[in-house]
Amino acid sequence: MSTSPFLQPRLVLGLRTDVKGNAQFITDEDVIFPVGAVLNVNNINQKRQKYIRLAEKGRNVTEVVVSPNKKLVAVVESGEKPFVTLWCPLTYKKKRQINLPADKESCADKFTAVAFTFDSKFLMCVTGEPDWTLYAFKSDKGKLESTGKANNLGNTGYVRHIACNPNDANLLCIVGDGLIKIMACTDYSWRQYGYSKGDQWNFTSAIWLSQDRLMVGTNEGRLLIIESGELKFVFNAADLPMLDLKAKDELQQTSQTSLKDLSISDLRPGEDYSIRSMIHFPRGFAFGYLNGTVHLYEMETPHKYIKRNVFKIPEVILERELEEEAEENQTKINCIAINPSQGRIIVTCNVSQVYHAMLWMQDSSATVAVESMFTELGSRLHNGPIGSMALCSWKPIVLTAGKLDRTLKIWNYESEELDLDQTFQDDLYGVDLHPSGLYAIVGFSDKLRFLTIMIEEFETTREFNIRVCKQCVFSKLGHMFAAANGNVIQVYSSVNFEMMYNLKGHNGKINGISWTNDDRKMASCGSEGAIYEWGVSDQKRLSEVVMKQCEFTGVAITTDGRSIYVVANDGHIREFMNANINRDVLLTPSGLDSMVLSKLDQMLFVSGNAGSIYNVKLPLLEKAEYQEYSVHGDTVTHMLIAFDDKFLFTGSADGTLVMWKLLNTEGKAIKMDKDFETSKDILISRQILEERIAQTNNLQMRLKELESEYAYQLRQNDVVNSLRMQEIHSGYCQAIEELKEKNEQLENDHVQEIHNINLDIKKMKLDHEEFVRELEANYNEKLIYEYEKFLRLEEKMEKMRRNLEKELDDLAAAKKASEEKITNEFLEKLEEKQMQFDELVEQTASKTKAHELIKQQIEEDADREIYEMRTFHAKELKEEQDLNVKIRGETAIVKKKLISSQKEIDDLKSKVYNLDNEHTKLKKSIINLEKDIVDLKKEISERDATIQDKEKRIFDLKRKNQELEKFKFILDFKIKELKSQIEPRERMIQEQTEQINAMVKELENLQRVILSLDLQLHELREKLYASDMELKKQVTRNYVMNRAIKKIKTDIFLASGQVQNVPALIKIVKDMYLKYNIDEDFAITQAEDTEVKSEFMRQREFLERTVTSLQVQVNKSSSTLSADKVKLTEENAVLLVETNMLRKELKDEQKRKEKLQSILGVNQKYLPPKVAMERVQNATATREEIRNQYKKTIEDQEKNVQVLRDENDRLLTKILLEASNNEPQIAAEYSTVIEDKVE
């Protein structure tokens, strides 16, 4: 048995903006961020994604924190008791879950701040209101280590952020609204120290610049520097090109001025002046200040930081938003992260997009900060819900429409890239793609537009007056498209854009439209609970089902149109066949949102339960069998399946787009042809094409100019470099001589220094020996003195020990005496107390007996009173219950009467309404009947004329029957001859087709041989070219060497003139050596040159031989191949002519055969074989039988004529349209057909 198919997420596009820390680096290439119900680990370079599935679809996730060693990811979740889940980002497995301890009573439902210590061993968590407690957990075991109070003493202050010290795990800072606490842990408890006057500021974030230096940011753009627990400086982030923490005088002045608030004229409405998402790294720090802006500072010294960059989120984001201003600024910075190698920065804001930029791109010597723009990490995503989606059959593309950002995007799901993106001014609703992928229909708020997909934009081709069209679907063949206009489905032609059909019937909003494969039928569902099956060409409802209790959200009709699948908001999947419910299965009680059916009707995918995808097994059983997948975190608005059943696409209300890979689909997915390739054609306007061609021509011209300029510059550079090399060589030689002289001087100095050092060492040794002798003498005297002192102290210690022993013995004796006295006194007291205790026991016994007697009497009196009260109240209860029963009965009767009266009123109203409708219908029918009576009178007069024509045609039929008898014998003979001719020709055609296929295969093999020979030729030519280049190099080298030899000879000749002058001769020889012996010895180079020449000549001869042999082979093969090609083409042409002739003859014979069958009435398309055999036997009967039959038919027809005349007289009273219209038309058609066949 084949296992059921399953889904695997291939690409998840989106970002959750409601989570703190929603983009973090794990490695230099891997970024983790929350999408829907998963954590997405995205590799930037490889474009590969891995997923960590979150509990409860990630609805309760509030923050994501990555440890400093990048080995743990903490997912913070809220609830009745908040908890933190630790995941391993390398294995994608859950490590452990950290919960609040059971013995700690906490009313908080979330953690407001979470952070790891610098060594990743502890996890710091702060609970929200009303507790505001700091918990320190061990990250390896999840054990609670210590706790402390997080906010101020009066339970004031809202905690926003935790900053852990980079060197000390027992030191941290907590900041928030009106709150700053620098805390240290001692003896498992956290205590505050240092600066704590945070009431005047609302702090947003904090970082440690060093072990004792803290920087804190406020919501007014202030930066506070705290060193060793004391406030040192206050800066304004608006004007801070450099941060110098050492120049105290200057900074005290700036701190005093910066404490003043910004003037009202400087404040811009809607601007975010808070310091957000501060982050520290070894080379500096960064923070967000103003809308969509990140400031980067680089550390020059431990006390000095310089602003290097100001990064900004592009303003295109603002254009993509709604025209109405949102409550929260869209470009407000949410998270900043820097990769471990400190080369890339990523940022997130309130837009569903991750932005990135490269660091340290500017010159380090620059004094002014460079402004640069962020770019999107990956493709540009939808900001807001995905309203609609569409697929085509020719291209691997998906069209998505953004509901809030008003953008149309085309995604290529094979390359996983964004092909086209365009923003519109109007709201977008329903979309669909033409099967070719070159056109689209899009529903706007004012009109429905037919768009042409160009290379860079969508171009409007036609507009239709349909507002807010949420359902628009192309037919399977693409020649029509259906659009929902209110509660009416209008079908338009996609060729001439005219409205072809108008399908009326729905009373509510139309939620789904589905076509069959042949485009003859259509299924639709609506919010009023109606499902209709339409015959498109007839504009009729073939079947209908109405279920008012539920709202249908999706519909899918099978390829043959036999069954319809629908999903509804009650969580049921229903299958309808012939307007009857074939299957009704409950999937989930929370409701279903959309559905899609595969091309072979073997796989069904349904979405529901606020983001779940269900793979439902077909055919449907009494209890649904399905597999559930959770990647989306919100309602899935649309689902699509690719044309080859290999991919599934889902889009949700939170803007997440998921591309699923369908696996294990053997036998359930459509089988595509191996040679099938997706279309790569795109439309481009002539103007753009001409501009592109002109640009390419200009660029080619510019390239040639640059090449020539570059070649000229190279030549100039070669000349300059050669001159420089000569200068450097001469300078190098002079430097060598100078260095040799310096080296000799240094050697002499070194020898002298060594001699001096040896003398100093000898002196030091003598002095040291004398000093050691003096020390020994002094220490001997001290040792004797100390020994004597030690003996005296020992004697004192013995005396003290003896005295102490005596004192101890006296104390022991006194202690024994006192113990005996105390024991005797306590024994006497014990005896007295025992006597008192016995007396008290006797008194208590007597009192208990008296108490029990009184208690018995009281209990008996109470039981009597209780029994009397019970009987009295039981009677009252019975009376009240009887009264209640009576009143309930009366109220029930009254309610029934009311309900029945209301029902009667509703029935009467409906009857009145129905009677009014019937009255109007009857009036209309009376008017129509009067018109019909007039028409019938006209028809009676026309029928009289037709009866006369009929009599004439009967006479003509008698003549034609005689001629048909003659044709019968001729046609039988021709049929036999044609059958005998057709069979051998079909055999010939099969043989010739086999020959053609064999010849085609031979041609393909020959072409492969030619290609391989061409490749060999190309390789040999390249080898020849390489050998030629080597030869040229050797020639140039030989030329250079010959010139050098000539120069050497001339230099030797000049040196021979100085033979008598020995020092001059030595100098000349040295110069010659330095001039000519730069790389290697001359004799070695000469020997190598001879070897290279011989090797080169040998290889050249070998290559020339191979080239000549290959040329001969190529000439032979080309001659043989050309002759074979000519023969094959001639034979193919002859065979094609013969096959075309045979095909024509076959078609003619088939036409004759069909004519004969139609004349005889033996057409197997409309008759079963038995009836056809009877017709043939009847046709081959004798002439007398045929004549008798025709006589009978003539008599019957005369009787029919008389009957028709009688019926015409009664047509004034009885309306029989079918009997009157069909018979004469059939007779007329039959007679015309026979005349044509005979001719």
Side-chain angles (χ1 to χ4, degrees), residues 382-641:
H382 281 291
N383 182 26
I386 295 173
S388 185
M389 297 166 59
L391 280 171
C392 69
S393 302
W394 288 17
K395 294 182 178 182
I397 58 173
V398 185
L399 176 66
T400 59
K403 196 172 183 180
L404 288 180
D405 56 8
R406 299 172 179 174
T407 56
L408 280 179
K409 296 179 187 289
I410 292 181
W411 308 85
N412 190 317
Y413 57 82
E414 285 187 351
S415 63
E416 299 179 1
E417 292 178 353
L418 180 65
D419 287 350
L420 185 58
D421 180 9
Q422 187 172 343
T423 306
F424 295 88
Q425 295 297 322
D426 298 325
D427 291 333
L428 305 177
Y429 293 95
V431 297
D432 197 24
L433 277 173
H434 192 269
S436 64
L438 301 175
Y439 309 99
I441 48 174
V442 181
F444 290 86
S445 56
D446 56 348
K447 288 184 180 180
L448 176 71
R449 290 181 173 86
F450 190 94
L451 304 178
T452 303
I453 302 171
M454 308 299 286
I455 190 170
E456 291 178 343
E457 62 177 353
F458 293 90
E459 220 175 68
T460 304
T461 306
R462 196 66 176 263
E463 294 181 347
F464 304 92
N465 290 323
I466 301 175
R467 292 186 176 184
V468 192
C469 180
K470 294 184 179 179
Q471 294 292 330
C472 50
V473 185
F474 272 105
S475 63
K476 299 293 184 182
L477 301 177
H479 63 289
M480 296 184 292
F481 64 89
N485 188 359
N487 54 10
V488 178
I489 300 173
Q490 295 177 347
V491 181
Y492 290 87
S493 171
S494 54
V495 180
N496 56 11
F497 303 112
E498 293 180 357
M499 190 172 73
M500 300 172 67
Y501 311 110
N502 207 357
L503 308 177
K504 296 180 180 179
H506 282 284
N507 293 325
K509 184 178 72 174
I510 296 168
N511 290 334
I513 299 172
S514 179
W515 293 83
T516 56
N517 265 4
D518 55 4
D519 295 336
R520 292 182 180 178
K521 293 181 183 179
M522 181 198 295
S524 63
C525 69
S527 60
E528 77 277 15
I531 303 158
Y532 296 125
E533 182 183 1
W534 305 90
V536 180
S537 59
D538 300 334
Q539 302 185 40
K540 290 182 180 179
R541 278 182 275 179
L542 302 177
S543 63
E544 60 180 290
V545 178
V546 179
M547 300 175 71
K548 293 183 179 180
Q549 70 272 14
C550 64
E551 178 183 350
F552 293 109
T553 56
V555 63
I557 190 168
T558 56
T559 53
D560 54 3
R562 290 184 180 178
S563 58
I564 300 169
Y565 295 94
V566 291
V567 293
N569 60 356
D570 59 355
H572 285 255
I573 302 176
R574 295 177 176 86
E575 181 186 3
F576 294 95
M577 293 181 72
N578 299 323
N580 295 318
I581 298 175
N582 188 31
R583 281 280 185 271
D584 188 349
V585 179
L586 176 64
L587 199 64
T588 174
S590 59
L592 302 174
D593 304 313
S594 59
M595 69 179 299
V596 67
L597 192 65
S598 65
K599 306 302 179 199
L600 293 180
D601 306 330
Q602 297 292 319
M603 295 181 288
L604 180 65
F605 300 97
V606 182
S607 68
N609 195 14
S612 296
I613 307 295
Y614 299 96
N615 178 12
V616 184
K617 187 178 180 181
L618 291 179
L620 293 175
L621 304 174
E622 291 181 0
K623 188 177 180 181
E625 294 183 9
Y626 61 87
Q627 296 172 352
E628 185 176 355
Y629 303 92
S630 296
V631 172
H632 290 282
D634 205 344
T635 304
V636 176
T637 56
H638 216 74
M639 295 178 69
L640 297 171
I641 194 165

Side-chain angles (χ1 to χ4, degrees), residues 961 1178-1179 1181-1196:
N961 282 329
N1178 292 330
T1182 57
R1183 291 183 184 178
E1184 292 178 357
E1185 289 175 353
I1186 292 164
R1187 284 176 184 172
N1188 293 326
Q1189 285 177 0
Y1190 276 108
K1191 282 179 182 178
K1192 288 179 182 178
T1193 53
I1194 288 161
E1195 289 174 358
D1196 293 330

